[in-house]
Structure formats: C-alpha cells, structure tokens
Amino acid sequence: MSWKVSVEATAFNSSQFPLSGVPEIAVAGRSNVGKSTLVNAILGSKLAHVGGTPGKTRSVNFYLVDTGTISFRLVDLPGYGYAKSGKAERKAWSQLTSSYVENRASLVLVCHLVDFRHGLLANDRALQDWLSERRRPFMVLFTKADKISKGKRRSLLNQYVKDGLGSIDVPIVTSGEDRSGIDEARAFIENFIIKL
Ligand code: GDP
C-alpha cells in the first residue's frame, strides 16, 4: 500500500525541530552511503535530495508518514565521515545530531545505513558506540546491495552478522537501484511502530 508522505520541517538547528508527539525513526549513515536514495525508496517519493555535495553539512529533515494504519516521522540526519570535511563542519554535524539524538523524546529507533560492500568502518562503529552509550536502539540497513552479485549476498550478510553488528534485528539488505529489500524495510518500520 502506498504511504502518504509530506515534508514537515527542514531544520538547521534544534529550534527548527517540529514539536514532538509522533514516534520518530531516524536514518543515519556515512556521507554518500545512499541515504537519500534509500529514504526516497522507502517513502515512495522523491523528496530527499540525491547526490548532493558530499560532506556538506545538511539539515535534519522531518518527513511525516501516514501508512494508512499508523503515522510516524522518518527523520533524515546529516551524513557523517566525509574525508574532506573540516573541523568546523564536523562540529556542526555533531552539534545538530547530538541535539536531536540526545534530547528527542519521540525518537524510538535509528536506522543505521551501512554500505554492503564495506561493512562497518571505524566511523560507523564510533556512531554505534555513541548510540549505545545513549541507549538508543539501532537497526542496520545495508545499502547498494546491487553492487554485490545476488548469489554472494547471503554469505556476506552471514559474515557481517557473525562479526557483530549491534543491530536490534537481522539487518535488511537493500538497494535503491534494483529495489531489493525495500518492501521488507517498509514492513519492518511499520511493524516496529505498530508494536510500540
Ligand atoms: P547520501 O549522500 O548518503 O544521501 O547518498 P545518495 O543517495 O545521494 O547517493 C550517493 C551516490 O550513490 C549517488 O551517486 C547514487 O546514485 C548512488 N547510489 C545510491 N544508492 C545506490 C544503490 O542502491 N546502488 C547503487 N549502485 N548506487 C547507489
């Protein structure tokens, strides 16, 4: 079933966050991981801007979703870890992201996007440690699965799971390109909200 989606806010600082009240699922990942593409695929929209300047400090984008059964917000956090980001940019990222993740009462889950080809890199582990310290549950969604042949995906996923991912559930392997895992991701999110 198609979801009704609207942009509720584009926030460059915490005073621009909308009033909380609706459960929120945030989406985080390294710059260029394919976050905008996956957000669009999950929402069934073209609202997130794909292929923007990598590393540019962006906003926190709030999308209000009505699935027909429940309402929630998908909250797109700025990407992290672009190699050329300067100190000021990293500081802006961490200020904006911390002000959201540390204080937001309605945040129920973080979807952590990880490139399926690379698995968890050092800065991905750092994000997970930081989320764990703040008692924020996260679910890993792998991106760009189309870059790995279909026959190899299962064993690669098993390897990552064996190496330890900290995810609250078995990660979903997705691709915005060939749309694999998208329906599964949508179903996971909807069920997570229903079960709250
Ligand atoms: P973001 O910076 O994390 O928001 O990533 P974008 O969604 O803007 O994508 C970054 C680049 O990766 C763009 O060139 C996309 O076309 C490409 N990309 C995104 N998702 C996929 C995918 O599932 N498969 C492939 N092959 N490329 C992708």
Side-chain angles (χ1 to χ4, degrees):
M1 201 177 127
S2 71
W3 290 356
K4 268 193 224 137
V5 181
S6 58
V7 180
E8 238 189 331
T10 304
F12 293 90
N13 60 61
S14 54
S15 71
Q16 295 168 330
F17 295 165
L19 286 179
S20 46
V22 188
E24 293 177 350
I25 294 191
V27 185
R30 268 184 312 118
S31 187
N32 215 40
V33 72
K35 185 156 57 61
S36 308
T37 303
L38 187 60
V39 163
N40 281 335
I42 287 175
L43 294 179
S45 78
K46 288 262 157 44
L47 295 169
H49 180 59
V50 173
T53 316
K56 204 178 95 196
T57 303
R58 289 182 312 145
S59 44
V60 177
N61 305 308
F62 294 79
Y63 301 101
L64 182 64
V65 182
D66 173 4
T67 70
T69 311
I70 41 103
S71 294
F72 71 97
R73 286 189 187 122
L74 198 73
V75 181
D76 184 8
L77 299 174
Y80 56 86
Y82 182 59
K84 288 182 186 152
S85 295
K87 211 172 173 185
E89 237 161 43
R90 284 201 296 272
K91 197 170 168 209
W93 178 89
S94 83
Q95 269 176 0
L96 190 58
T97 306
S98 328
S99 66
Y100 177 78
V101 171
E102 292 181 344
N103 306 318
R104 195 73 172 170
S106 38
L107 174 62
V108 294
L109 179 69
V110 176
C111 289
H112 184 205
L113 272 43
V114 176
D115 192 314
F116 195 46
R117 295 167 297 176
H118 310 313
L120 291 181
L121 302 181
N123 51 12
D124 296 314
R125 297 240 180 238
L127 176 79
Q128 292 196 345
D129 290 347
W130 184 78
L131 291 172
S132 300
E133 281 161 20
R134 280 153 190 79
R135 304 262 184 282
R136 292 301 196 182
F138 54 86
M139 168 75 180
V140 170
L141 302 183
F142 285 113
T143 61
K144 306 194 183 182
D146 58 284
K147 302 260 195 182
I148 303 286
S149 70
K150 281 211 163 109
K152 290 190 182 144
R153 291 184 198 173
R154 171 64 57 184
S155 60
L156 186 57
L157 174 62
N158 289 344
Q159 185 60 48
Y160 287 144
V161 170
K162 214 174 118 218
D163 292 346
L165 283 165
S167 182
I168 59 159
D169 209 327
V170 179
I172 300 173
V173 179
T174 74
S175 163
E177 193 80 11
D178 69 13
R179 294 198 54 84
S180 53
I182 303 300
D183 289 342
E184 206 188 325
R186 285 165 59 96
F188 178 87
I189 288 172
E190 190 167 17
N191 277 325
F192 188 91
I193 301 284
I194 286 171
K195 283 196 249 158
L196 284 176

